[in-house]
Amino acid sequence: MIGIDVGGANLKVVDENGVHIHYCPLWTGAPLTELLRQYANGSDGDAAVVMSGELADCFKNKLQGITFIVNAVRVVFPSARFYGTDAHFHDGPVPALAAANWLASADFLREKYPDAVLLDIGSTTADIIPLSRFPALLGLSDLARLQKGYLVYTGMLRTPVATLLSSVNLVGKETPVSTEYFAASADAHLVLGHITQDEYTCDTPDHREKTPDASLHRLARVVCADLEEIGNTGAMQIAEAFWDRQRALVRDTVRRVAEESMASSIIVAGIGAPLFARECGGLDLTQVLGPAVDALPAHAVREVAVRTHGK
């Protein structure tokens, strides 16, 4: 049994050898089946799968995306089972499979942390899940989660900087920003020391290097400038302004959900776990799960499948 999480941008696999994360942007025709083949050696074709990649805009609708992912996985793992937002496993493509990865994480963690709010902040989104309300979570779509504040569309790597900033105080002068995709959250977090170059796993907005210097150049573009015009100080001010806004957005939403659900604690997973556990006063699940925390839904669906099916 292996656990697989097929996102729109990333493929995450958890097996007996550890955690494996691949940048796999489905909208570019990334070879999902071929990436999975390396994990089939010695396998009996059994896998537990969750997904969110059905929302990729290469698909006409969610069901088309679900069908594509199910078929692509089944080429390699014929006996794969797919976890849905009804908290059941399915053998084929059904609407309930859309964006059920967050629920698998909740299903896995709710027994050990029954009164906690889970924040899983990855490359693209922040899932904010009140584990005490598990029955009420069943069937929720991403649309419903956005409306409830259980899904905040900002992450550590792929968020365009301009989505959270309308202006920035640049060397004492309030400056509007360009809404072009000049810089991503990964650029801000890299220059601020929140992530390493190795953790900058997605593509860059300009398809150039993943270095602090290159990130500073991209950040300068956010105000339609070259780095030589505003200097490292100006580019860092843009990064800091983005981080201030992102931190407040996520932290305030977590606190609101925690208050509404009368949670006794906050637990944090994803690539942003160490950073946001500190900001939210929560437990970094890296201390409990190790590297699996960066691929929590893949780990979780594997454990839920073993719990449910006994293998």
Side-chain angles (χ1 to χ4, degrees):
M1 174 72 71
I2 72 170
I4 300 171
D5 177 15
V6 183
N10 295 294
L11 169 67
K12 300 180 180 181
V13 177
V14 174
D15 62 12
E16 67 276 7
N17 296 315
V19 177
H20 317 275
I21 301 176
H22 303 272
Y23 183 54
C24 180
L26 295 182
W27 63 90
T28 67
L32 175 58
T33 297
E34 294 308 310
L35 285 171
L36 287 172
R37 286 191 191 280
Q38 62 191 296
Y39 302 106
N41 294 333
S43 169
D44 60 0
D46 203 10
V49 187
V50 287
M51 67 180 74
S52 60
E54 78 289 335
L55 194 62
D57 58 12
C58 55
F59 303 122
K60 178 180 177 182
N61 53 44
K62 292 180 184 179
L63 187 56
Q64 184 186 68
I66 290 167
T67 302
F68 171 85
I69 292 169
V70 168
N71 291 341
V73 172
R74 280 251 161 116
V75 169
V76 182
F77 299 100
S79 301
R81 293 189 291 268
F82 300 82
Y83 184 89
T85 53
D86 55 1
H88 292 296
F89 285 92
H90 301 265
D91 294 326
V94 295
L97 300 185
N101 54 354
W102 62 274
L103 190 68
S105 299
D107 202 349
F108 166 58
L109 292 167
R110 63 191 175 104
E111 291 184 2
K112 187 171 182 179
Y113 304 98
D115 298 315
V117 164
L118 168 65
L119 166 62
D120 185 356
I121 182 157
S123 65
T124 310
T125 62
D127 294 310
I128 300 169
I129 310 167
L131 300 184
S132 64
R133 294 186 174 179
F134 189 78
L137 300 176
L138 301 181
L140 289 184
S141 65
D142 274 356
L143 171 60
R145 293 198 303 133
L146 282 168
Q147 292 169 333
K148 288 178 173 291
Y150 295 172
L151 172 62
V152 179
Y153 231 91
T154 189
M156 294 291 293
L157 303 181
R158 298 184 60 245
T159 304
V161 166
T163 60
L164 294 187
L165 290 181
S166 58
S167 65
V168 59
N169 191 304
L170 196 64
V171 196
K173 188 175 183 63
E174 199 65 26
T175 307
V177 305
S178 164
T179 56
E180 295 284 355
Y181 183 41
F182 282 133
S185 51
D187 294 309
H189 289 298
L190 181 61
V191 300
L192 292 172
H194 298 161
I195 63 170
T196 65
Q197 289 180 226
D198 288 342
E199 290 173 320
Y200 197 144
T201 54
C202 63
D203 198 5
T204 64
D206 59 2
H207 309 294
R208 294 181 181 177
E209 295 85 0
K210 301 175 183 180
T211 63
D213 183 65
S215 288
L216 289 170
H217 279 271
R218 285 189 286 271
L219 287 162
R221 292 289 190 189
V222 171
V223 291
C224 302
D226 288 332
L227 187 60
E228 291 75 14
E229 290 181 75
I230 64 172
N232 288 4
T233 298
M236 288 295 293
Q237 287 179 320
I238 297 169
E240 289 163 355
F242 173 83
W243 167 230
D244 286 344
R245 192 68 57 84
Q246 185 183 55
R247 171 174 51 194
L249 173 62
V250 174
R251 183 184 59 204
D252 292 350
T253 307
V254 169
R255 288 176 178 173
R256 180 179 60 76
V257 173
E259 290 174 3
E260 290 176 352
S261 62
M262 295 182 287
S264 60
S265 61
I266 296 167
I267 56 178
V268 190
I271 185 177
L275 182 63
F276 277 93
R278 183 178 71 240
E279 295 297 331
C280 296
L283 169 66
D284 176 2
L285 286 176
T286 306
Q287 300 171 17
V288 180
L289 299 175
V293 77
D294 290 341
L296 180 58
H299 175 76
V301 76
R302 182 188 190 207
E303 295 300 313
V304 171
V306 170
R307 185 180 72 200
T308 304
H309 300 286
K311 62 177 289 187

